[in-house]
């Protein structure tokens, strides 16, 4: 295979501050062994998230200058609206400041005590917003989705049989909507097949229940469908994207991912009654419906980003460069969630640190070691993030790749650092939490090592 190069040249650069191991040790101690508490300037390669961390194109920056900042009816809003309608086919488009604002509005309208919301896997903010409304969030991903070694092409699928049982158990009247997250972030960035979305549509039709997409990474999901699903290889990604949205009654989107921008979100709806209720809440906390928590320039950047993300040379590079990281880690003996996801590689921390039980946060131990050794920031997705009540099925460390931001040599450096940590993994110590907030503890918890330094 020929090398797939970054399909862009660099026009603006941001220096990275190099740090010494001693500086990093001090910074990590001060952060309570929680990399969310670090200052970004103390980081060499930041793989904490792919959300809002990407680079915008020259056309997006040109759009920023063209932004119309009128309070109501701005030209930028109509450009944004046209683009979103063209790509997704949704009539009602509400701009929000980011994905979780769309979730908060949606679940304030449809959630509430006694309600149950099924999803393949809720992302943490989605779960938190469902639960904040008093409803219950249930995860119904297919069983292969929980097996890090399975090479199934669509491990993000929502299990249709489990969904049927859920409807029978709790009753359609208590299920305000079914959600499916594309790609399935909490389940390893794995895609959902078109076939699965079609089947979910049928079940939802039978129970007269709306189907919603959490469509943060809709373009990456569509590219996987094109690559992997029988009969889809000849279609354009844009066509596949359109069919995904056509199958749904609504969608929440964080534009910080496949919108290729640093801030922004969308709530897409078909139902007019629901739109009226959502729009009233939007005005209450986000803003007037033609800007909804964003500036006119942000709407321009999103309109342009949504077009660029569908370029197939971009997606080829994007998915291949993530896969490259996965392949190289596999070669040095690091067990990852297979097959490589779209926006991130997920390291299996249970396999990495078999000597650290889940209660002592093996993922967090790997995260700390990567920072100490190479100034790399990654994100634990395991017992720290989800284990406050019961341990999750996987202990993962996510290496999320910001879009269009790092080059292959940055990624090669990440591979070297992780290979080094892996070679010395027996010396890693488990952790205990010394301070934690009541919800979403991974953001602010502080830790200490159970046995002296790693
Ligand atoms: N849904 C999914 C699947 C997400 O991955 C995220 C954010 C959200 C909703 C919420 O969007 O951040 O704009 O409010 N994921 C980021 C991440 C934070 O690091 O995976 P938001």
């Amino acid at each position: 295979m020929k090398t797939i190069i970054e399909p862009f040249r660099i026009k603006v650069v941001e220096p990275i501050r190099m740090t010494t191991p001693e500086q990093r040790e001090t910074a990590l101690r001060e952060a309570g062994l929680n990399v969310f508490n670090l200052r970004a300037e103390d980081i060499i390669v930041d793989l904490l998230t792919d959300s809002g961390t990407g680079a915008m194109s020259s056309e997006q920056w040109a759009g920023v200058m063209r932004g119309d900042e009128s309070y109501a009816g701005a030209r930028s809003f109509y450009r944004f609206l046209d683009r979103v309608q063209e790509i997704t086919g949704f009539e009602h488009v509400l701009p929000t400041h980011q994905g979780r604002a769309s979730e908060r509005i949606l679940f304030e309208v449809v959630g509430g005590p006694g309600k149950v919301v099924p999803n393949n896997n809720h992302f943490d903010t989605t779960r938190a917003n469902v639960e904040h409304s008093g409803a219950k969030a249930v995860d119904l991903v297919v069983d292969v989705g929980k097996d890090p070694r399975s090479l199934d092409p669509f491990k993000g699928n929502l299990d249709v049989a489990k969904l049927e049982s859920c409807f029978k158990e709790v009753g359609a009247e208590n299920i305000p909507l079914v959600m499916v997250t594309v790609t399935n972030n909490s389940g390893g960035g794995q895609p959902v097949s078109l076939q699965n979305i079609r089947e979910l549509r049928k079940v939802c039709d039978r129970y007269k229940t709306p189907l919603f997409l959490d469509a943060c990474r809709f373009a990456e999901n569509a590219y996987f469908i094109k690559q992997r699903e029988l009969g889809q290889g000849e279609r354009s990604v844009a066509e596949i994207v359109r069919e995904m949205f056509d199958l749904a009654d609504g969608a929440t989107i964080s534009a910080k991912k496949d919108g290729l921008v640093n801030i922004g979100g969308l709530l897409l709806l078909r139902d007019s009654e629901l739109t009226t209720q959502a729009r009233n809440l939007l005005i209450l906390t986000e803003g007037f419906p033609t800007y909804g928590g964003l500036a006119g320039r942000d709407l321009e950047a999103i309109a342009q980003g949504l077009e660029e993300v569908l370029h197939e040379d971009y997606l080829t590079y994007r998915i291949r460069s993530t896969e490259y990281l996965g392949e190289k880690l596999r070669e040095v003996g690091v067990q990852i969630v297979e097959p490589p996801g779209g926006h991130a590689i997920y390291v299996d921390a249970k396999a990495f640190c078999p000597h650290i039980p889940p209660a002592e946060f093996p993922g967090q131990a790997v995260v700390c070691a990567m920072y100490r050794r190479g100034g790399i920031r990654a994100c634990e997705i395991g017992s720290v993030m989800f284990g406050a009540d019961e341990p999750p099925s996987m202990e993962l460390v996510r290496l999320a790749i910001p879009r269009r931001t790092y080059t292959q040599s940055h990624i090669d450096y990440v591979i070297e650092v992780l290979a080094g940590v892996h070679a010395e993994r027996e010396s890693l110590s488990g952790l205990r939490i010394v301070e934690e907030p009541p919800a979403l503890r991974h953001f602010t918890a502080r830790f200490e090592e159970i046995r002296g330094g790693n």
Side-chain angles (χ1 to χ4, degrees):
M1 190 199 286
K2 280 211 212 103
T3 302
I4 293 171
I5 61 169
E6 286 84 1
F8 48 79
R9 296 188 293 180
I10 295 167
K11 187 175 286 213
V12 176
V13 297
E14 183 181 3
I16 292 174
R17 193 171 72 88
M18 296 300 167
T19 50
T20 63
E22 294 71 33
Q23 287 169 329
R24 294 196 290 269
E25 188 60 40
T26 307
L28 191 63
R29 293 267 155 222
E30 281 173 5
L33 303 184
N34 184 345
V35 294
F36 277 99
N37 294 332
L38 288 171
R39 285 173 184 247
E41 64 179 7
D42 292 332
I43 289 153
I44 295 176
V45 178
D46 201 348
L47 306 183
L48 184 67
T49 177
D50 65 317
S51 179
T53 52
M56 294 211 296
S57 68
S58 47
E59 279 306 311
Q60 285 179 293
W61 283 110
V64 166
M65 287 306 296
R66 280 194 295 267
D68 174 357
E69 305 303 341
S70 305
Y71 188 92
R75 183 180 64 242
S76 300
F77 172 72
Y78 288 103
R79 172 146 189 260
F80 161 87
L81 180 67
D82 288 349
R83 181 58 48 77
V84 175
Q85 287 180 333
E86 177 192 319
I87 292 171
T88 69
F90 276 96
E91 183 183 350
H92 304 297
V93 179
L94 307 187
T96 60
H97 81 275
Q98 63 182 86
R100 68 197 69 181
S102 308
E103 294 163 1
R104 202 265 307 153
I105 291 169
L106 178 65
F107 292 112
E108 196 167 327
V109 178
V110 306
K115 300 274 165 57
V116 173
V117 178
N119 202 326
N120 41 359
N121 284 113
H122 288 83
F123 181 66
D124 59 353
T125 62
T126 323
R127 172 175 291 277
N129 275 296
V130 168
E131 290 175 353
H132 182 70
S133 81
K136 191 172 163 215
V138 298
D139 289 346
L140 304 177
V141 72
V142 288
D143 287 339
V144 283
K146 297 181 199 163
D147 173 5
R149 285 170 181 74
S150 160
L151 285 168
D152 191 279
F154 291 106
K155 291 168 73 175
N157 283 354
L158 196 157
D159 192 312
V160 178
K162 287 185 202 166
L163 181 63
E164 283 279 3
S165 319
C166 179
F167 269 108
K168 289 196 180 113
E169 224 169 274
V170 302
E173 66 283 7
N174 296 317
I175 300 183
L177 54 84
V178 173
M179 204 160 205
V180 59
T181 306
V182 296
T183 55
N184 189 23
N185 186 9
S186 308
Q190 301 294 323
V192 176
S193 71
L194 206 45
Q195 185 57 32
N196 187 240
I197 306 175
R198 289 176 184 150
E199 285 169 19
L200 298 174
R201 173 78 265 166
K202 280 195 201 136
V203 176
C204 286
D205 281 345
R206 212 155 3 93
Y207 289 101
K208 298 194 172 34
T209 302
L211 176 65
F212 271 61
L213 301 181
D214 175 341
C216 295
R217 299 177 181 86
F218 67 93
E220 292 171 5
N221 197 86
Y223 186 79
F224 279 124
I225 288 175
K226 180 180 167 101
Q227 273 192 321
R228 298 181 182 172
E229 193 161 344
L230 209 64
Q232 299 298 325
E234 298 304 312
R235 297 177 81 189
S236 70
V237 171
E239 268 178 277
I240 297 170
V241 162
R242 184 54 191 267
E243 184 174 346
M244 285 163 51
F245 282 112
D246 281 348
L247 287 163
D249 299 291
T252 55
I253 300 182
S254 165
K256 301 171 74 170
K257 287 82 170 173
D258 279 350
L260 300 179
V261 291
N262 305 115
I263 196 72
L266 302 101
L267 176 58
L268 308 180
L269 299 165
R270 283 192 215 287
D271 185 82
S272 303
E273 178 54 32
L274 189 57
T275 304
T276 306
Q277 290 175 294
R279 194 178 282 136
N280 290 337
L281 287 175
L282 184 83
I283 295 171
L284 202 62
T285 56
E286 290 286 297
F288 189 75
T290 63
Y291 71 85
L294 293 170
R297 54 179 162 275
D298 298 324
L299 297 171
E300 290 278 348
I302 296 172
Q304 180 63 25
L306 289 174
E307 185 194 306
E308 290 176 11
V309 79
L310 296 177
H311 291 182
E312 300 200 10
D313 49 3
Y314 160 74
L315 284 167
T316 304
Y317 140 78
R318 170 76 179 156
I319 300 300
R320 174 60 198 145
S321 54
T322 306
E323 185 183 50
Y324 171 85
L325 172 59
E327 278 172 12
K328 296 287 171 182
L329 289 180
R330 197 187 290 145
E331 280 168 22
V332 299
V334 174
Q335 175 70 48
I336 61 164
V337 174
E338 296 284 4
H343 67 295
I345 293 298
Y346 295 68
V347 171
D348 181 346
K350 268 189 201 166
F352 201 107
C353 296
H355 61 292
I356 304 179
E360 295 177 11
F361 311 122
Q364 193 68 13
V366 174
V367 166
C368 289
M370 286 178 68
Y371 180 70
R372 283 190 167 110
R373 193 175 183 99
I376 296 164
R377 178 156 71 168
C379 183
E380 193 266 8
I381 300 194
S383 284
V384 177
M385 190 180 273
F386 293 120
D389 303 320
E390 50 184 287
S393 56
M394 295 195 271
E395 297 291 335
L396 304 176
V397 172
R398 185 182 73 169
L399 312 178
I401 322 288
R403 293 170 181 76
R404 308 190 291 202
T405 304
Y406 292 114
T407 63
Q408 186 172 331
S409 65
H410 290 109
I411 298 299
D412 286 334
Y413 170 79
V414 171
I415 294 157
E416 283 165 22
V417 170
L418 202 54
V421 172
H422 189 252
E424 294 172 10
R425 63 193 187 279
E426 277 158 28
S427 68
L428 301 190
S429 163
L431 303 166
R432 72 168 74 89
I433 292 183
V434 289
E435 226 180 276
E436 71 177 295
L440 297 175
R441 66 179 179 179
H442 54 289
F443 289 131
T444 54
R446 298 180 72 85
F447 300 84
E448 66 183 19
E449 269 140 5
I450 289 171
R451 75 179 151 77
N454 295 12

